[in-house]
């Protein structure tokens, strides 16, 4: 069964069409928009580091919006390039590391209200799982297999973290963020495992049949001759 919750994403893109078209007409190149989105998301990581959870949540969501915009502009204006795709994916990974390192810093004992030291391992697991989700997709697509499957893809991670911190912040010692991190740690790694299974199923189905065993040739009897 293919787990791909994409219908709501398509609906969300349609709702954003007026804003997306505005950026298409702005003349900004997709790579410039990607860079702006990266700086915004990196700002979210810095905000988390200084304990500004609600600002960090807002910047996470805003950075995610730029992540939608750059791809839309590239497609609409026919500016999609191999480097642009590589640049976008690379900055996405860097920004995700920065954001989750910012979240991790909330649990290292310096923040006055979020002081559960064991949570650093949960956040580290969420970070590892997030990178594995991206890596498995990239590796599968390098093999020619569509691997956009799973429950905790990038869009879900952005919305979950952004909404939780924007609306709840450090409420009740950050209990909402704590549970969001636990859920993200579990589901990202499960998604990575599911993608491994997905690729296994596809490679098994398309595996080349073993080479046929050549027929054994009949040995010719030696020609008898007189000496």
């Amino acid at each position: 069964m293919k787990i791909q919750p994409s219908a709501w994403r398509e609906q969300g893109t349609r709702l954003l069409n007026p804003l997306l078209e505005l950026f298409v007409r702005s003349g900004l190149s997709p790579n410039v928009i990607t860079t702006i989105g990266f700086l915004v998301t990196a700002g979210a990581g810095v905000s988390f580091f200084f304990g500004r959870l609600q600002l960090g949540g807002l910047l996470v969501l805003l950075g995610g919006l730029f992540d939608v915009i750059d791809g839309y502009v590239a497609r609409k204006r026919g500016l999609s390039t191999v480097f642009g795709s590589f640049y976008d994916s690379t900055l996405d990974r860097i920004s995700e590391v920065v954001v989750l390192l910012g979240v991790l810093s909330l649990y290292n004992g310096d923040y006055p209200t979020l002081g559960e030291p064991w949570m650093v391992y949960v956040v580290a697991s969420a970070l590892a799982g997030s990178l594995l989700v991206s890596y498995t997709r990239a590796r599968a697509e390098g093999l020619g297999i569509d691997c956009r499957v799973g429950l905790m893809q990038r869009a879900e991670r952005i919305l979950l973290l952004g909404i939780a911190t924007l609306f709840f912040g450090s409420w009740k010692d950050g209990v909402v963020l704590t549970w969001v991190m636990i859920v993200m740690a579990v589901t990202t790694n499960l998604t990575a495992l599911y993608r491994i299974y997905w690729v296994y199923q596809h490679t098994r189905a398309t595996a080349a049949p073993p080479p046929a065993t050549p027929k054994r040739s009949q040995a010719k009897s030696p020609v008898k001759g007189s000496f």
Side-chain angles (χ1 to χ4, degrees):
M1 180 179 66
K2 183 176 182 179
I3 305 173
Q4 185 174 341
S6 58
W8 65 270
R9 296 180 208 165
E10 295 174 2
Q11 181 62 30
T13 301
R14 284 195 290 270
L15 293 175
L16 291 172
N17 264 341
L19 176 63
L20 297 174
E21 290 296 333
L22 180 64
F23 273 89
V24 171
R25 295 191 295 270
S26 71
L28 290 173
S29 74
N31 287 347
V32 169
I33 297 172
T34 297
T35 304
I36 294 172
F38 167 73
L39 294 175
V40 170
T41 309
V46 174
S47 298
F48 288 139
F49 179 81
F50 286 107
R52 304 289 301 277
L53 273 70
Q54 291 180 304
L55 176 60
L58 176 63
L59 293 177
V60 165
L61 295 173
L62 186 58
L65 177 60
F66 276 100
D67 201 32
V68 174
I69 293 171
D70 60 4
Y72 184 87
V73 170
R75 291 189 298 272
K76 289 288 287 188
R77 293 176 57 195
L79 298 176
S80 299
T81 62
V82 174
F83 174 76
S85 177
F86 169 80
Y87 184 65
D88 179 57
S89 297
T90 302
L91 290 191
D92 283 349
R93 303 293 81 74
I94 297 173
S95 62
E96 200 153 24
V97 169
V98 172
V99 166
L100 289 179
L101 284 178
V103 173
L104 187 146
S105 69
L106 298 171
Y107 299 99
N108 66 3
D110 295 333
Y111 192 71
T113 56
L114 304 181
E116 298 292 343
W118 54 267
M119 277 297 297
V120 297
Y121 300 105
V122 174
V123 179
S125 297
L127 174 56
S130 299
L131 295 178
L132 281 172
V133 167
S134 302
Y135 175 79
T136 49
R137 175 181 171 181
R139 192 69 185 91
E141 289 180 347
L143 299 173
I145 300 171
D146 182 10
C147 198
R148 290 173 292 183
V149 295
L151 292 174
M152 192 54 67
Q153 302 181 52
R154 178 170 167 77
E156 288 84 356
R157 298 196 299 269
I158 289 172
L159 288 174
L160 191 61
L161 177 60
I163 291 173
T165 50
L166 174 61
F167 290 101
F168 295 97
S170 57
W171 178 70
K172 288 188 178 296
D173 296 340
V175 63
V176 175
L177 178 59
T178 294
W179 278 106
V180 162
M181 284 292 100
I182 292 172
V183 169
M184 193 178 295
V186 172
T187 53
T188 52
N189 285 283
L190 286 178
T191 297
L193 290 173
Y194 179 73
R195 288 185 170 184
I196 293 171
Y197 171 75
W198 177 262
V199 173
Y200 166 72
Q201 288 289 90
H202 278 66
T203 52
R204 187 180 65 169
T206 59
T213 305
K215 294 182 179 180
R216 185 179 299 174
S217 59
Q218 295 180 350
K220 296 181 179 179
S221 57
V223 179
K224 295 181 180 179
S226 56
F227 293 93

